[in-house]
Amino acid sequence: MELQDRGKMHECQEKQLAGICRKLLDEGKGDVILAYAGGEIENSTIPLFIRGCGEIERLKYDEYCYPNLAKYLLENKGKTGIVAKPCDARAIAMYIAENQLARENVYIIGMECNGMKNMDGSLAPGCCECSVHVPPLFDVLVKCNGEVVEREQYTNTGAPAGYEDDAVFNAVTGESGNAGDDNGVNEDKPLEDKSLERFKKELDKCILCFACRQACYGCYCPVCFMDRTMPAWISTDPGMGAKMVYHLGRAMHLAGRCVECGACERVCPSGVKIRYLIKEINSFCKDVYGYRAGMNPGEYPVLAAFNKDDKEIGFLRSE
Amino acid sequence: MKCAVVPREKFKSAVGLLIDGYVAAIPVKENGVLEYKKMDGKAGEKDLAGLAAYAVDCDELPYKSPKEFLFPQVEELMVFDNDSCTAVEKDTRDKIAVVGVKPCDLNALKVLLTVFFQGKYKDDNVTGRRENIMLIGTGCAKKKPGCFCDERGINKNFSSECDIFIEKPVDENDSFRFYSFTVGGDDVLDRLVTGGFGSYSDYEPACGQREGNGCEKEELVIEAEETELFDTADWEGISERCLGCGICTYICPTCHCFDFRDALAGNKTIRYRCWDSCMYPKFTLHASGHNPRASKKERFRQRVLHKYVYVKKNFGYVACTGCGRCIRSCPAGMNIRNVVREISGIRV
């Protein structure tokens, strides 16, 4: 898809969004709507909390809508509407599956998405290799061409609700699903470098600021194990040992729970690219248990479910 | 205070002479991230002078501030066991030359030094390090997105809060100007001139004369008293977007809160000091379990009021220099400039 088409696509979607938000407020379906507004800095957007019609004028939807909105849902703001890209919708589905959120309290405005951009115009991390372009969960869907589809209508057409049906998607947009990944990691390709050296090289850059944890959809424990003091699990000395405990611990906690939004890499101030580790565990869950986080809110979380037919190869992957 | 004029063709070797005998900390771009790197290898192995000259010329701000050279993220203080306790010797072997520090960061380091030196408590660890550091400053050609140094009364083109300030040529016929502001800086300039890399000229205070950015006045300040803002400002609404990730405090050039921790190493215990962040749930958590800053509303209020009210009240400076790092890096688009404008009654 040409760049100018992309711009037009978001313009169409933005116009529809404003209408939907106005309707939501009028009908009293949402006390607050989580959406995007233009940022102070060029090529950026910021989260917007719409509580009245006046704020709708600030609404923006363009190719820089990368901030994660779904995490605010955990703050219990009452009936909430949310503008959700596929990764955000997957996070919502995960929250519902993990009993963190009641489905009836959230109205999901799904956005068909072709990937968002970083401030510098490159494809955002997560978007590079994303294969889910239609949110798996929504109440109303705003398609790339600006068409608005209600949930009932959408299922009636028989189209799969957001599963990786790239063939259907590509027929619509005329673009190949995989835009390539300049980080050298591709979800479907086997990992090239699994060495300890690579891991250490990435960890070397880490300053243990925990920003990735705060930005992550999957990290919502009231008290993170890293924040426990009695006893303390690690020292705050950013040595290799503490960094390994943190990153491996986080990866294990995210096993089968990462919705591939890329927020961890986007927020990292020192460019630590550790997502490959979590992706590896994600693809393990997909291969062994056929599970992908946030694709179906009715599905039991993979590590909370027991099935006697499960393969017993364990985490070490030794058959 | 001296000023030496260095012709373009001698610039690189002059910078080489400046950092000679020092471990150079130079902003280097790796994987798209510009960061100060300590070059402690042998000088011959890398083109240090070239890197340093590039850093002076480079018009970008490193993602982390240079505060870590004065106030490292982790610092061991003492080692003890049941019978004995020894203070950890301060590492004074390395003399570090920090190259290409922009005026916002230079002013921020001034605030840090004031906090650690002029208050009720003097911190020898931090101020002692200053003696081993040569700060080589340089100006900014243009404002980056999110920068607001002009509103904070900081001249992006010039600063005297360093040992040596290098002013870039304004046009093709112009030369570089090296200004010195400390005794150490004077010595280096002497070596530079006797070495034939430049010549002394009449000191010309560039501040304000050379296309200053109209920044002599601090516009962005909070006039109100803390008591007026503490409960009246809508802190809940202001902090609603904040994710509490704390990245703003880690990359901030003036944030200086720290914590003491003990770590076991064999049968000894190491007591060390490390950076803390007011954005964290553990910040000022009492042993009883009570936390005076229980939610992000209180934490964000602490961050803003500390920078703009408390430090100013205690030390005379506002602890924000408008470098814009927190604004550019925030994953949720928090903007301290807008918050200050809002609560000080100036509408955006």
Side-chain angles (χ1 to χ4, degrees), chain A residues 32 40-42 45-49 51 58 66-68 71-72 75 77 119 201 205 207-215 222 226-230 234-238 266-271 273, chain B residues 30-31 33 35 63-64 73-74 76 145-146 240-247 250-251 259 261-263 272 274-275 279-282 285 287 296 324 327-335 337-338 348:
Chain A
V32 56
E40 276 287 294
I41 299 176
E42 208 186 337
T45 56
I46 60 174
L48 172 70
F49 298 81
R51 293 198 165 87
R58 291 182 59 201
Y66 44 74
N68 282 3
K71 221 170 171 185
Y72 300 113
E75 291 174 4
K77 292 179 190 291
M119 249 179 242
K201 210 177 123 201
K205 296 183 253 174
I207 57 171
L208 276 188
C209 68
F210 304 130
C212 46
R213 171 191 76 188
Q214 292 305 114
M226 302 306 288
D227 280 344
R228 296 214 176 262
T229 49
M230 291 187 278
I234 56 153
S235 66
T236 36
D237 179 346
R266 212 166 42 232
V267 73
C268 182
S270 36
K273 305 222 182 300
Chain B
E30 248 173 50
N31 303 318
V33 181
E35 194 183 354
Y63 95 86
K64 273 198 290 181
Q73 192 177 350
V74 180
E76 288 183 8
E240 190 170 24
R241 293 199 308 263
C242 178
L243 291 167
C245 74
I247 197 57
Y250 267 71
I251 55 176
D259 194 9
R261 302 276 176 85
D262 289 346
Y272 63 95
C274 57
W275 291 356
M279 294 287 125
Y280 290 168
K282 260 197 302 192
L285 176 65
K296 62 182 177 185
I327 299 176
R328 283 188 293 271
S329 302
C330 182
M334 298 295 288
N335 188 320
R337 173 174 165 266
N338 288 355
V348 182

Side-chain angles (χ1 to χ4, degrees), chain A residues 4 6 9 24 29-30 41-42 86 105 126 129 152 157 160 187 243 252 281 302 304:
Chain A
Q4 64 218 54
R6 267 181 192 249
M9 166 181 114
L24 266 187
K29 277 189 188 161
I41 299 176
E42 208 186 337
N105 281 343
E129 71 274 16
E152 294 77 18
T157 63
E187 196 188 23
K243 291 185 200 174
M252 285 313 212
I281 301 176
V302 64

Side-chain angles (χ1 to χ4, degrees), chain A residues 179-284:
Chain A
D181 184 354
D182 49 13
N183 299 336
V185 188
N186 194 307
E187 196 188 23
D188 300 324
K189 278 189 215 151
L191 212 64
E192 280 152 32
D193 186 1
K194 293 186 187 179
S195 66
L196 187 61
E197 275 63 43
R198 176 182 182 186
F199 184 47
K200 279 185 171 168
K201 210 177 123 201
E202 291 299 333
L203 289 197
D204 247 357
K205 296 183 253 174
C206 175
I207 57 171
L208 276 188
C209 68
F210 304 130
C212 46
R213 171 191 76 188
Q214 292 305 114
C216 176
Y217 272 147
C219 285
Y220 59 74
C221 292
V223 182
C224 173
F225 77 105
M226 302 306 288
D227 280 344
R228 296 214 176 262
T229 49
M230 291 187 278
W233 283 61
I234 56 153
S235 66
T236 36
D237 179 346
M240 195 48 85
K243 291 185 200 174
M244 279 197 178
V245 172
Y246 169 60
H247 285 286
L248 290 176
R250 206 175 88 84
M252 285 313 212
H253 284 195
L254 283 175
R257 300 179 60 242
C258 170
V259 294
E260 297 149 341
C261 65
C264 49
E265 276 183 17
R266 212 166 42 232
V267 73
C268 182
S270 36
V272 178
K273 305 222 182 300
I274 212 74
R275 211 156 43 93
Y276 78 93
L277 205 70
I278 294 162
K279 273 192 218 165
E280 178 74 7
I281 301 176
N282 251 14
S283 74
F284 175 85

